[in-house]
Amino acid sequence: MEDLMPTVTFLPGYRKVSVPEGTSLLDAARAAGLAMNVVCGGQGKCGKCLVFVKTGSVSFDRDKFRKFFSDPEIARGACLACQTTVTGDVQVDVPEGSLIQEQKILVEIQGLEEIPLNPAVRKYEVYLSPPSLDDTTPDLTRLLEGVEGVGGPPPNRVYAPLGVLRYLPQVLRRSDWHVTATVALVPGGYRLSNVDDGDTTGRLYGAAVDLGTTTIVVYLWSLVDGRILSTASNYNRQISCGEDILSRVNFSRKGGLARLQQLAAESINEALKKAADAAGVDLEEIFEVMVAGNTVMTHLFLGIDPGYMIAEPYIPVVQRMLSTAARRVGIATHENTGIYTFPAVSNFIGGDVIADILATGMTEREEVTLLIDIGTNFEVVLGNRDWMLSCSGAAGPALEGGEVLFGMRANPGAIESVRIDPETLTPTYTTINGVAPRGICGSGLIDLLAELLRACVIDRTGGINLEIDHPRIRRGRYAPEFVVAWKEETPIGKDIVITENDIKNLVMSKAAIHGACMTLLDAAGLAPRDIERVCLTGAFGNYINKENAITVGLIPEVPLERVENIGNGAITGANIALVNRKRRKELDGLARRITYIELNADPSFMDRYTSSCFLPHTDLSLFPRVQQMLEACRLREGVGSRQG
């Protein structure tokens, strides 16, 4: 009985939920509708789901997770929600920083005005002759012949859904035989999606969707004149079932597939409604939606079991481009809206990467392009119009703030860029929304790594030089650390630091990406100097300072002018495929052209990874500009100590 179960009350909002004894506070918070910040997926590794038990009974091994708390926090009853279980009625205070907040989501992109408008769905205004005893042509045939007469497809190639046939006779007669037919090009022919009274040819809309693991981005287009009408973004509600892909696949295997599909649809609908409201558009007049997501996200959105992708031999159900009607997947547009998903190359090179490739235009260029998409995971593609190689791997949570003591997502208050004076070691930083710092997000962490290296505070292994006499360099409780912001500068009552352990985690993450780049170059028989263009994209990749990315060895050293932050490549590619049906038609062929290299099966990848576990690399000849900087640093080390 529910009334016999413990009650958990979450403050300050007094949200109450009854849960079985032994439930984690994290699951109780999800049941109460709170989106907790669990970067590590609830494994107790990131320390971001801090809560304070005010009264009541819980079980939590505070000694085991002592490193995440200050003494005052322990005195207030600090716990990690993911590692605390309910043993009785309890009141829990949830700090604002422990909840998922509005994230800096990359929406703006460049160059879309260059996409030729050639949509797959069109409207045809027709004036029809009414039937008579001399002309007993059926209503549908009469309509489709009229459509053909104004430039539409031949009637025998147009499929008419039952739902349209049911209201067709009424709308034809109500409108005095003056109607607008919406016809979409679909695999195998055409679909009669809708029939309106009178002339509605000026109102035809489509949406491009970036279905990310963490965030959703939507662009709303007029498919009549090719204008972008509005954009919108929000979190992917599937986060409540797991932060990362693996957690969600496991959730789906435990009977949660329908729930994950529903949450994906709800997330897209929320963004679609925001965009439609901003543009003054009726959702019923959106007739095409193009969705770019990774292979697992695409399976989950369509309600297809992804479980066999995470166990040998790692087989997806489908890799080709798919289409379905909105009503089948719960998208709140017209019921006959065509929903299209990008094809995939493999389990790990999904539709979002195909969209990235489309955005770069690398399939049309002779020059060799290195595309790197960095988010929760990373994908790397190398090639040109004649050939393409790809690989993927886990960047680790460090680059998104996980497993870093003061790491955080790109939320307000996250330090996103840093400079350090090499003489005084005084940091200068900027934060998202310009508010007081609460932590450091991925782009800020890469800046810190590069700046600490330039200032000789860390060596090439990431070790902090404790011989430097400076108040910002100190022995922390668990590891040496550098103070980025004093507690007086923050709203959290703590010094924001980066520890030697944090740095080692960052080095391992960047090494995986650089090792992957070198693996593809070697497979192609190329060297870094042969790369004519580097394109960085992804939730994290786009915000990286490209000079600092080279300094720490995240990407191969090439001339800076060859490195581009291309914005949100997934949404750019989705936009291209939405408004240009010729480019959409090419997607399956594009995916088949890409050769996937499995890094775990490549015997040389581990050597390349290990060689990259230095700043910037064990072989400094691969980084001549960084080598010069390091030599200057060694000369400066003779100063001995720096007072701050």
Side-chain angles (χ1 to χ4, degrees):
M1 297 289 292
E2 185 173 317
D3 58 352
L4 298 179
M5 293 192 293
T7 297
V8 184
T9 304
F10 292 98
L11 308 174
Y14 284 91
R15 295 195 189 192
K16 294 188 177 184
V17 62
S18 295
V19 296
E21 189 171 330
T23 301
S24 72
L25 284 180
L26 175 60
D27 287 338
R30 287 169 173 164
L34 294 174
M36 297 293 294
N37 189 10
V38 278
V39 176
C40 67
Q43 301 179 63
K45 293 181 178 179
C46 70
K48 309 303 180 191
C49 59
L50 168 68
V51 296
F52 297 99
V53 174
K54 305 282 286 185
T55 61
S57 178
V58 297
S59 174
F60 176 64
D61 187 348
R62 191 166 282 111
D63 289 338
K64 181 178 178 181
F65 300 98
R66 177 70 175 78
K67 66 179 181 179
F68 292 120
F69 312 122
S70 65
D71 290 335
E73 286 173 336
I74 288 177
R76 289 176 56 196
C79 296
L80 295 183
C82 68
Q83 300 298 314
T84 304
T85 55
V86 176
T87 57
D89 292 348
V90 61
Q91 276 196 342
V92 181
D93 187 18
V94 183
E96 181 184 359
S98 296
L99 295 172
I100 292 175
Q101 301 167 306
E102 177 188 357
Q103 184 167 0
K104 184 172 182 177
I105 300 174
L106 183 60
V107 173
E108 297 79 9
I109 49 182
Q110 304 297 320
L112 290 182
E113 64 278 0
E114 301 171 6
I115 306 173
L117 180 63
N118 183 20
V121 60
R122 298 183 180 182
K123 284 190 170 185
Y124 300 91
E125 181 189 11
V126 292
Y127 292 86
L128 304 175
S129 300
S132 66
L133 290 176
D134 296 324
D135 180 5
T136 57
T137 304
D139 287 349
L140 177 63
T141 304
R142 187 179 303 274
L143 172 68
L144 295 181
E145 287 176 349
V147 168
E148 183 183 25
V150 294
N156 63 354
R157 296 204 60 206
V158 181
Y159 161 71
L162 179 60
V164 174
L165 294 178
R166 284 174 171 167
Y167 67 74
L168 180 62
Q170 288 75 31
V171 72
L172 288 175
R173 289 160 179 82
R174 185 175 66 236
S175 65
D176 197 22
W177 303 91
H178 173 208
V179 295
T180 299
T182 303
V183 180
L185 177 65
V186 296
Y190 295 84
R191 177 181 58 236
L192 178 63
S193 300
N194 190 47
V195 183
D196 291 314
D197 292 28
D199 179 13
T200 64
T201 53
R203 302 197 304 273
L204 177 61
Y205 308 104
V209 178
D210 171 15
L211 176 59
T213 309
T214 305
T215 56
I216 310 288
V217 177
V218 163
Y219 271 60
L220 183 63
W221 289 74
S222 165
L223 298 180
V224 176
D225 56 19
R227 289 181 299 126
I228 298 172
L229 303 179
S230 60
T231 63
S233 60
N234 52 264
Y235 274 104
N236 185 334
R237 295 183 181 182
Q238 290 179 337
I239 288 175
S240 64
C241 302
E243 289 276 327
D244 57 85
I245 287 294
L246 182 60
S247 298
R248 292 182 206 175
V249 174
N250 286 329
F251 185 87
S252 76
R253 297 178 82 180
K254 297 174 182 176
L257 179 58
R259 177 61 176 158
L260 286 164
Q261 194 287 319
Q262 177 188 19
L263 290 171
E266 287 177 358
S267 303
I268 293 174
N269 286 338
E270 180 183 353
L272 281 172
K273 188 174 188 310
K274 286 181 188 176
D277 288 349
V281 166
D282 188 336
L283 286 170
E284 285 285 318
E285 294 183 311
I286 297 174
F287 281 96
E288 294 258 292
V289 178
M290 193 77 209
V291 181
N294 66 45
T295 313
V296 170
M297 289 306 307
T298 298
H299 276 59
L300 293 176
F301 167 56
L302 296 175
I304 299 171
D305 184 2
Y308 299 101
M309 283 192 274
I310 64 169
E312 289 187 6
Y314 311 110
I315 303 298
V317 176
V318 63
Q319 289 179 189
R320 61 188 292 183
M321 185 175 75
L322 295 176
S323 64
T324 188
R327 66 180 180 274
R328 291 179 176 269
V329 288
I331 295 302
T333 55
H334 191 281
E335 65 173 2
N336 290 327
T337 295
I339 310 295
Y340 293 85
T341 60
F342 274 73
V345 177
S346 70
N347 293 3
F348 308 109
I349 300 291
D352 51 347
V353 180
I354 300 299
D356 287 341
I357 293 170
L358 204 59
T360 65
M362 62 190 290
T363 59
E364 301 170 2
R365 297 175 180 236
E366 187 175 350
E367 64 186 5
V368 174
T369 297
L370 179 68
L371 166 67
I372 308 173
D373 186 330
I374 311 175
T376 308
N377 299 303
F378 70 83
E379 295 85 24
V380 183
V381 182
L382 178 73
N384 61 11
R385 65 190 183 193
D386 298 320
W387 57 273
M388 281 180 286
L389 302 175
S390 66
C391 66
S392 65
L399 295 179
E400 291 197 323
E403 296 187 9
V404 171
L405 189 59
F406 284 91
M408 63 182 289
R409 284 194 180 92
N411 294 331
I415 294 173
E416 61 178 341
S417 67
V418 185
R419 296 294 299 272
I420 295 176
D421 186 306
E423 300 302 326
T424 66
L425 300 188
T426 302
T428 304
Y429 53 78
T430 63
T431 65
I432 294 175
N433 290 5
V435 298
R438 306 183 67 91
I440 315 164
C441 67
S443 59
L445 290 168
I446 292 298
D447 282 0
L448 260 178
L449 208 57
E451 290 291 299
L452 290 171
L453 186 64
R454 289 190 188 102
C456 314
V457 172
I458 61 176
D459 60 26
R460 291 181 56 210
T461 70
I464 293 177
N465 184 359
L466 290 173
E467 294 183 4
I468 298 175
D469 181 15
H470 194 284
R472 289 186 183 271
I473 299 172
R474 66 193 189 192
R475 294 185 184 276
R477 179 178 293 171
Y478 300 100
E481 59 191 28
F482 177 86
V483 180
V484 183
W486 300 110
K487 65 181 179 181
E488 292 78 15
E489 304 169 43
T490 79
I492 61 175
K494 302 178 189 177
D495 296 337
I496 294 176
V497 305
I498 184 167
T499 72
E500 196 169 270
N501 290 338
D502 296 337
I503 293 168
K504 297 295 175 66
N505 284 331
L506 288 166
V507 169
M508 287 190 290
S509 292
K510 76 90 189 173
I513 295 168
H514 185 268
C517 293
M518 295 304 295
T519 298
L520 293 191
L521 284 168
D522 288 352
L526 300 176
R529 64 177 176 272
D530 299 314
I531 302 170
E532 296 168 271
R533 186 170 171 239
V534 177
C535 296
L536 299 174
T537 185
F540 165 66
N542 186 68
Y543 293 103
I544 299 173
N545 177 300
K546 57 189 181 182
E547 183 175 3
N548 288 341
I550 291 173
T551 297
V552 302
L554 178 71
I555 63 175
E557 183 174 305
V558 298
L560 282 179
E561 62 271 17
R562 297 186 187 179
V563 184
E564 304 173 31
N565 298 93
I566 66 166
N568 186 332
I571 195 63
T572 303
N575 280 308
I576 293 170
L578 171 72
V579 303
N580 191 293
R581 65 189 191 184
K582 180 176 179 293
R583 301 304 303 275
R584 185 191 305 182
K585 189 177 179 181
E586 299 168 357
L587 294 178
D588 275 330
L590 190 161
R592 287 193 295 268
R593 287 172 49 202
I594 302 169
T595 300
Y596 180 70
I597 295 177
E598 177 58 64
L599 294 179
N600 291 334
D602 189 304
S604 60
F605 169 69
M606 188 52 67
D607 290 337
R608 295 187 183 99
Y609 166 76
T610 304
S611 297
S612 299
C613 284
F614 287 80
L615 298 170
H617 194 272
T618 53
D619 183 1
L620 286 178
S621 68
L622 294 172
F623 291 85
R625 293 202 311 274
V626 182
Q627 185 175 20
Q628 291 177 3
M629 181 271 291
L630 291 171
E631 288 171 355
C633 178
R634 280 194 291 271
L635 291 173
R636 199 165 61 242
E637 278 181 330
V639 173
S641 66
R642 286 168 280 195
Q643 300 295 323

